[in-house]
Amino acid sequence: MAQANNPTRRPRGKLIVISGPSGVGKSTITRAVIGRLRDVYLSVSMTTRPQAPGEQDGRDYWFVSRDEFRRRIEAGQFLEYAEVFGNLYGTPRDKTEAALEAGRTVILEIDVQGGRQVKAICPQAVMIFILPPSRQTLVDRIGRRGRESGEVVARRLRAAEGEIAAAAECYDNRVINDDLERAIDDVIRIVENAPDA
Ligand code: 5GP
């Protein structure tokens, strides 16, 4: 993804991957960061997971069938994709590429499997992993969201522990969300210091 050395072209944007276990406050931090920085594009992922109440197609996710998702994999339309909790999620390649070309900072809020793929394709991508202050906080936050059944909550907790362990290898930035404002400031500083993708 390196840019040819052409001084008349705008520099490419930065590529930022934000991951972390569910319930850790990733979306809250990401939204705040986007509100405070200029020229940031938050990638809208495509998913086969059912649309939840309050979610909007094209804003929260692009909701598609499994067949449609498979078709798009075959067509090479994803920068990365992964199966998470039994559903497919992927980052549309064309929109992120266009935003990077336009010099915008692109933020991907994706899981660790996807993060690894992005880092392999684009080594300049800056990887941020958001951590809960403690295991108990994570248990409380996942349980409180109330969107899922007890079994799903237990599965998400196990997945969270797996993600935290797996993140150690390719996430060079770790931010502990024990104080929201400080966590937001930390992420902003990391984004500001990130190299162009
Ligand atoms: P949720 O269904 O709770 O919105 O998301 C479940 C998980 O899927 C979260 O860890 C989220 O970061 C991840 N996810 C969302 N979009 C993508 C994507 O495009 N690619 C990958 N690999 N993971 C994603």
Side-chain angles (χ1 to χ4, degrees), residues 46-49 66 69-70 73 80-91 110-117 155 159 163:
M46 198 162 277
T47 184
T48 62
R49 127 159 126 56
R66 225 172 159 90
F69 199 101
R70 288 267 163 225
I73 293 174
E80 62 71 37
Y81 68 90
E83 178 136 9
V84 189
F85 311 125
N87 296 302
L88 292 163
Y89 294 81
T91 303
I110 60 178
D111 88 320
V112 170
Q113 305 171 74
R116 256 194 225 116
Q117 296 171 44
R155 189 148 54 102
E163 281 222 315

Side-chain angles (χ1 to χ4, degrees), residues 3-195:
Q3 185 209 331
N5 192 11
N6 179 346
T8 60
R9 279 180 67 186
R10 226 184 137 167
R12 269 171 79 83
K14 306 167 181 195
L15 182 56
I16 313 291
V17 173
I18 300 184
S19 302
S22 40
V24 80
K26 275 183 308 232
S27 308
T28 309
I29 293 174
T30 306
R31 273 199 303 272
V33 168
I34 288 165
R36 294 184 205 177
L37 291 174
R38 284 179 43 217
D39 242 359
V40 179
Y41 170 71
L42 174 64
S43 165
V44 178
S45 296
M46 198 162 277
T47 184
T48 62
R49 127 159 126 56
Q51 191 169 348
E55 284 184 329
Q56 210 175 298
D57 192 37
R59 184 194 66 187
D60 300 289
Y61 283 104
W62 297 103
F63 296 96
V64 296
S65 68
R66 225 172 159 90
D67 280 351
E68 172 72 13
F69 199 101
R70 288 267 163 225
R71 200 184 57 70
R72 288 172 184 266
I73 293 174
E74 297 299 313
Q77 290 182 7
F78 294 112
L79 177 65
E80 62 71 37
Y81 68 90
E83 178 136 9
V84 189
F85 311 125
N87 296 302
L88 292 163
Y89 294 81
T91 303
R93 187 194 294 278
D94 55 351
K95 296 199 176 63
T96 50
E97 189 49 41
L100 285 174
E101 268 303 302
R104 301 178 75 188
T105 296
V106 172
I107 298 188
L108 311 181
E109 203 189 307
I110 60 178
D111 88 320
V112 170
Q113 305 171 74
R116 256 194 225 116
Q117 296 171 44
V118 172
K119 188 70 180 171
I121 304 165
C122 178
Q124 301 94 316
V126 167
M127 315 293 291
I128 305 174
F129 196 81
I130 313 287
L131 283 160
S134 68
R135 186 179 184 278
Q136 189 53 46
T137 335
L138 195 64
V139 173
D140 294 346
R141 289 186 196 165
I142 291 180
R144 231 190 357 241
R145 289 213 303 192
R147 200 173 75 194
E148 295 96 356
S149 68
E151 190 207 317
V152 173
V153 169
R155 189 148 54 102
R156 283 189 180 239
L157 262 181
R158 281 195 302 276
E161 283 162 350
E163 281 222 315
I164 291 171
E169 36 164 296
C170 81
Y171 287 73
D172 30 16
N173 298 281
R174 261 162 243 130
V175 171
I176 300 173
N177 188 14
D178 50 355
D179 172 335
L180 183 61
E181 280 306 313
R182 209 222 62 247
I184 293 165
D185 286 345
D186 284 356
V187 172
I188 288 176
R189 203 163 330 110
I190 295 165
V191 173
E192 284 174 342
N193 290 322

